[in-house]
């Protein structure tokens, strides 16, 4: 047998092995993991377990997967146990990222469960001597018309479900009969979160667990020249100081002692720092060497004519900024390592950690537990590496490491600073006749997979250098995500200027380049509509063919009351639209803002959004994600920029890096879900980031008469810009 | 040190300068109050002391000795959720949920004094607390709803 993994769990045996890919592509992640029993198992006692390689990040994926599985297996949701990302138990689904969980894992579970139901019914038909068409599945049993029943558990002998998935499923539950899919089912993770249950890796308490804190370098690349460890080692409760090159950590029996010891140790450490952070990041980005690729319209002529417009937009470095700093627990025992982590990718993390620790991957077990927020590649992997390094220094003892607020602000990989430039010409009828768009950006993924992507690895006596940065290819794209407009502009030419050298540490922040590109495109479309003296919504609609795009735009405009809007002094309305990655969910939104010219204070009054996520498995989950995406994007767009001097990051807390507070939360927000039963699931988690920024920019321009093209729209910037 | 937490007396062996948060989490094994910033800037650690919302991450034990401390665990359980918890479940007012216990305690402090607080008053009261997922609209609605439940509306 071409066996790759052979894992015994709970008495049952799961066998999964790689098969050659043949024939048709299988649905979703089944294409990578085609065996049905890699996704679900039915025990002889009837217990059902569903496996997903995706992780709960607060986006509600557990609930949605359970809804799908329960619907297709014809059982109660609470009859299913769900196992998420775990390198010993679940399929390897890479990262939980890119709004791909429903498309990949949701689709895989949909078909695996529907096909399992079909197999169970066929098996029952054989045993009962009844045609399969006369049988139905219900509540964990296959039933005949005359009332005979056989439980799933009695049918699953002989590895019944240990078969390769088929490209099509014959028995997908009929839409009209659905009990769970398409319904706003309550999230399964919320009760524990609102009653003090153990809900996060932060809440994991293992017997004899100790606490560690890392003394992070004061700046990128700083080298630890010397450190006086003795006074700290003598502090009551301090168990150990771990030093490997410039990696410095302290272990204590109690958490508060670990924090105090870390602070004390910091005062005893001498560092050698470099001073090479950019004074003006936009000038620096413009000068750094770039790898240029034309991603659309290689043959298109530059825009020409009398009605030619151009603009440049800028976005600073921005934080993920989860409210709870990154945390991990690790235990090193008998040459094996177990890590409880809120990493988005337990398998890639396992690869990176095994390289970091010079251990075989089989000796490293990564288990996902929820963390605070996520929003992309934050410090979750870094803290897992910290915990692994410290755990090896105290074998047999579980170690919990949590970053401090200043660690997270100064060391997490930021969303990259970016520049975009756009030129377009209008024709005689006021439509776009040519469009040239350029985007300059660092990479949008420096995720692990290799040890060199882990912050601690750079500080070791024998350091691991970061891997060479790479762009993410189209159609998803990284810096060029959503850089190609969905509008039917003729002669569209789009160039991605990928800049390998990173002045600051950067990686994936929710929506990646899609946030900046949609902000830029949607701002400029409004500028063009203004030049064409056209209504911004009508201007978009008349240059857009995709019927689903047109539907969300019309829906959002209508519910906002776009046509009847009466402008008041100091207020304005704005509109924006995008289809995330040009292949996931459609999102359009309209908003009204108020701006105080004297103080520069910008306030959103109300927002109306429409979203098409294909088949909506959990409409309330979609609404929650879009509401959250809008508010987070409003925070980025209004307030946020990482601050630094020539050596150090200086925005190290919420005072120096302010984010949205309740005083700036809109008074009203509506999110309308356009459900498309039977259509493919379209990723939604990042769909609002770009449109919310574009609509805010357009509303600010409408309210103030001034177009602001540099982010963020902070009070300080607006005070200057609006009064210039 | 003697502490009164959720109506029970506890004796803990800790330096009086220790921030309350660490004792709640480590000695009393309570999960709800969270470490967010350690600076009193985000509110993830919010608990009540004699009904007043405090940042437990910067409040030393010595300050809360003899005061009645209430954490989210004191408002009910998953099996028997109190009005604030019922409201947050009903409105599905969480994404990652990390900030939510602090939000609930901040809202609780207001509603215990003023059960009929308006939405505007709730928003103003929640100003010290940060949410990064953007769950604010639901948090406000859930707090309004909690007030209704406390006032006996079903």
């Amino acid at each position: 047998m071409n066996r790759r993994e052979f894992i015994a769990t709970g008495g049952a045996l799961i066998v999964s092995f790689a098969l050659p890919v043949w024939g048709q592509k299988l649905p979703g992640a089944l294409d990578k993991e085609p065996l049905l029993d890699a996704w679900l198992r039915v025990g002889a006692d009837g217990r059902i377990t569903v496996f997903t390689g995706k992780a709960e990040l607060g986006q509600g994926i557990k609930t949605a997967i359970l809804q799908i599985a329960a619907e297709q297996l014809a059982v109660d949701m609470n009859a299913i146990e769900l196992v998420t990302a775990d390198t010993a138990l679940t399929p390897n689904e890479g990262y939980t990222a890119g709004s791909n969980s429903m498309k990949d894992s949701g689709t895989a579970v949909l078909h695996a469960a529907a096909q399992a139901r079909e197999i169970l019914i066929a098996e029952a038909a054989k045993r009962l001597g009844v045609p399969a068409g006369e049988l139905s599945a219900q509540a964990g049993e296959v039933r005949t018309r005359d009332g005979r029943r056989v439980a799933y558990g009695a049918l699953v002998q002989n590895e019944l479900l240990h078969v390769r998935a088929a490209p099509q499923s014959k028995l997908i539950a009929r839409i009209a009969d659905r009990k769970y899919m398409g319904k706003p089912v309550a999230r399964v993770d919320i009760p524990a979160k609102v009653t003090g249950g153990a809900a996060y890796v932060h809440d994991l308490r293992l017997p004899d667990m100790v606490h560690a804190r890392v003394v992070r370098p004061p700046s990128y690349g700083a080298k630890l020249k010397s450190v006086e460890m003795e006074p700290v080692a003598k502090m009551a409760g301090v168990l150990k100081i771990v030093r490997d090159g410039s990696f410095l950590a302290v272990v204590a029996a109690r958490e508060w002692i670990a924090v105090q010891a870390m602070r004390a140790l910091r005062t005893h450490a001498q560092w050698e720092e470099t001073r090479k952070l950019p004074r003006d990041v936009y000038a620096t980005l413009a000068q750094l060497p770039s790898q240029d690729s034309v991603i659309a319209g290689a043959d298109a002529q530059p825009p020409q004519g009398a009605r030619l417009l151009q603009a440049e937009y800028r976005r600073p470095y921005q934080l993920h900024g989860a409210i709870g700093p990154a945390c991990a627990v690790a235990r090193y025992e008998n040459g094996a390592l177990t890590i409880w982590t809120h990493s988005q990718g337990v398998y890639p993390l396992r690869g990176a950690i095994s390289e970091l620790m010079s251990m075989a991957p089989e000796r490293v077990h990564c288990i996902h537990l929820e963390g605070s927020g996520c929003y992309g590649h934050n410090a979750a992997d870094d803290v897992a590496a910290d915990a692994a390094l410290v755990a090896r220094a105290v074998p047999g003892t579980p170690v919990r490491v949590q970053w401090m607020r200043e660690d997270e602000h100064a060391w997490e990989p930021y969303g990259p600073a970016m520049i975009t430039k756009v030129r377009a010409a209008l024709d005689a009828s006021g439509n776009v006749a040519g469009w040239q768009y350029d985007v300059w950006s660092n990479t949008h993924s420096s995720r692990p997979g290799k040890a060199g992507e882990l912050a601690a690895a750079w500080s070791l006596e024998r350091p691991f250098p970061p891997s060479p940065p790479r762009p993410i290819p189209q159609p998803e794209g990284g810096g060029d995500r959503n850089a190609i407009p969905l509008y039917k502009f003729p002669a569209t030419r789009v160039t991605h200027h990928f800049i390998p050298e990173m002045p600051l540490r950067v990686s994936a922040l929710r929506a990646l380049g899609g946030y900046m590109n949609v902000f830029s495109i949607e701002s400029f479309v409004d500028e063009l509509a203004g030049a064409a003296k056209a209504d911004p919504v009508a201007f978009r609609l008349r240059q857009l063919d995709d019927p689903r795009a047109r539907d969300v735009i019309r829906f959002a405009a209508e519910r906002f009351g776009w046509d009847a809007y009466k402008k008041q002094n100091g207020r304005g309305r704005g509109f924006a639209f995008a289809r995330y990655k040009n292949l996931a969910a459609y999102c359009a939104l309209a908003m009204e803002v108020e701006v105080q010219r004297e103080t520069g204070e910008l306030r959103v009054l109300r927002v109306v959004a429409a979203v098409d996520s294909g088949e909506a498995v959990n409409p309330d989950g979609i609404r929650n994600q879009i509401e959250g995406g809008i508010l987070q994007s409003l925070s980025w767009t209004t307030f946020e920029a990482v601050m630094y001097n020539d050596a150090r990051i200086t925005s190290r807390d919420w005072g120096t890096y302010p984010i949205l507070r309740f005083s700036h939360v809109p008074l009203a927000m509506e999110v309308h879900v356009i459900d498309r039963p039977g259509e493919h699931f379209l990723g939604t988690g990042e769909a609002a980031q770009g449109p919310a920024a574009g609509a805010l920019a357009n509303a600010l321009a409408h309210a103030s008469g001034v177009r602001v093209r540099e982010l963020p729209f902070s009070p300080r910037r607006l005070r200057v810009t609006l009064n210039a | 040190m003697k502490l009164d937490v959720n109506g029970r007396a506890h004796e803990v062996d800790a330096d009086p300068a220790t921030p309350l948060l660490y004792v709640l989490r480590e000695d009393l094994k309570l999960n709800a109050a969270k470490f967010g910033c350690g600076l009193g800037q985000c509110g993830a650690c919010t608990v009540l002391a004699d009904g007043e919302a405090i940042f437990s991450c910067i409040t030393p034990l010595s300050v809360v000795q003899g005061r009645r401390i209430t954490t989210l665990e004191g408002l009910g359980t998953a099996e028997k959720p109190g009005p604030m918890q019922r409201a947050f479940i009903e409105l599905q007012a969480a994404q990652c949920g990390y900030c939510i216990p602090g939000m609930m305690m901040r809202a609780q402090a207001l509603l215990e004094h003023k059960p009929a607080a308006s939405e505007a008053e709730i928003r103003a009261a929640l100003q010290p607390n940060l949410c990064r997922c953007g769950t604010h609209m639901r948090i406000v609605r859930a707090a309004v709803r909690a007030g209704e439940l406390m006032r006996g509306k079903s």
Side-chain angles (χ1 to χ4, degrees), chain A residues 57-59 185-187 189-198 200 202-203 205 211 213 253-256 259-260 263 319-325 370-373 375 400 402-406 510 603 620 623-625 627-629 631-632 635-636 640 652-655 657 659-669, chain B residues 12-15 17-19 22-44 57 72-73 76-79 81-82 84-86 88-89 91-101 103-104 119 122-124 126-141:
Chain A
L57 309 174
Q59 83 284 43
V185 172
R187 287 240 311 269
D189 54 324
I190 287 183
K193 290 176 175 177
V194 300
T195 55
Y200 307 90
H202 305 70
D203 302 330
R205 295 182 186 87
H211 295 269
R213 286 293 182 281
R254 292 169 63 87
E255 188 171 11
W256 177 239
V259 172
Q260 291 174 293
R263 288 176 179 162
L319 280 184
H320 299 80
I323 297 301
E370 278 190 67
S372 173
Y375 331 118
R400 179 185 184 277
Q402 184 166 8
W403 278 20
M404 302 303 290
R405 172 50 48 203
E406 61 270 24
R510 195 173 184 182
R603 174 91 198 266
D620 191 58
R623 275 194 292 274
N624 205 353
Q625 282 293 292
E627 288 169 19
L631 289 174
Q632 190 177 63
S635 181
W636 294 351
E640 299 185 28
R652 290 177 173 241
D653 63 10
W654 298 120
Y657 187 93
I659 65 171
L660 179 82
R661 287 187 184 271
F662 278 90
S663 53
H664 288 74
V665 169
L667 299 175
M669 184 180 297
Chain B
V12 297
D13 179 20
D15 182 337
T18 308
Y22 291 90
V23 171
L24 293 176
R25 292 191 60 85
E26 200 168 342
D27 296 72
L28 306 188
K29 298 186 168 44
L30 297 171
N31 294 314
K34 299 288 195 285
F35 178 84
C37 63
L39 302 162
Q41 295 178 341
C42 78
C57 74
L72 180 60
E73 286 89 345
T77 62
E79 294 71 36
M84 183 64 68
Q85 295 162 325
R86 274 156 52 208
F88 272 71
I89 293 170
L91 275 298
Q92 292 285 287
Q95 290 187 49
C96 88
Y98 196 88
C99 73
I100 297 296
M103 295 284 181
M104 294 169 79
E119 183 182 320
I122 287 169
R123 285 173 176 245
L126 291 174
Q127 182 72 356
N129 287 40
L130 292 174
C131 168
R132 189 57 165 165
C133 295
T135 318
H136 304 73
M137 306 303 296
R138 288 175 186 235
I139 292 167
V140 170
R141 284 206 302 276

Side-chain angles (χ1 to χ4, degrees), chain B residues 2-70:
Chain B
K2 284 193 172 61
L3 285 180
D4 171 356
V5 180
N6 298 331
R8 285 181 54 192
H10 297 268
E11 180 79 41
V12 297
D13 179 20
D15 182 337
T18 308
L20 172 63
L21 175 68
Y22 291 90
V23 171
L24 293 176
R25 292 191 60 85
E26 200 168 342
D27 296 72
L28 306 188
K29 298 186 168 44
L30 297 171
N31 294 314
K34 299 288 195 285
F35 178 84
C37 63
L39 302 162
Q41 295 178 341
C42 78
C45 65
T46 304
V47 300
L48 307 187
D50 291 336
E52 177 201 349
I54 60 164
F55 296 118
S56 67
C57 74
I58 51 167
T59 306
L61 289 185
S62 54
V63 171
V64 291
Q65 201 172 18
R67 296 176 76 184
R68 198 165 38 84
I69 298 160
T70 311

Side-chain angles (χ1 to χ4, degrees), chain A residues 284-365:
Chain A
T284 302
L285 287 180
Q287 284 162 12
L288 285 172
S290 66
Q291 299 164 8
D292 300 343
S293 50
V294 180
I295 59 169
D299 305 327
Q301 294 300 310
Q304 289 167 12
R307 300 171 83 188
L308 193 65
L309 276 77
Q310 59 186 351
E312 176 178 330
Y313 302 89
R314 294 169 164 189
R315 173 224 180 159
Y317 294 102
Q318 292 170 325
L319 280 184
H320 299 80
I323 297 301
C327 180
V329 177
R331 186 177 56 213
Y332 182 86
E333 203 161 26
N334 303 323
L337 187 60
T338 307
I339 303 175
W340 291 265
T341 169
H342 58 104
S343 166
Q344 284 177 284
V346 288
Y347 282 92
L349 176 64
R350 182 180 70 166
I353 295 275
S354 67
E355 186 189 2
L356 178 77
M357 312 288 287
S358 300
M359 293 172 69
E362 300 76 47
R363 307 294 286 166
V364 179
H365 180 189

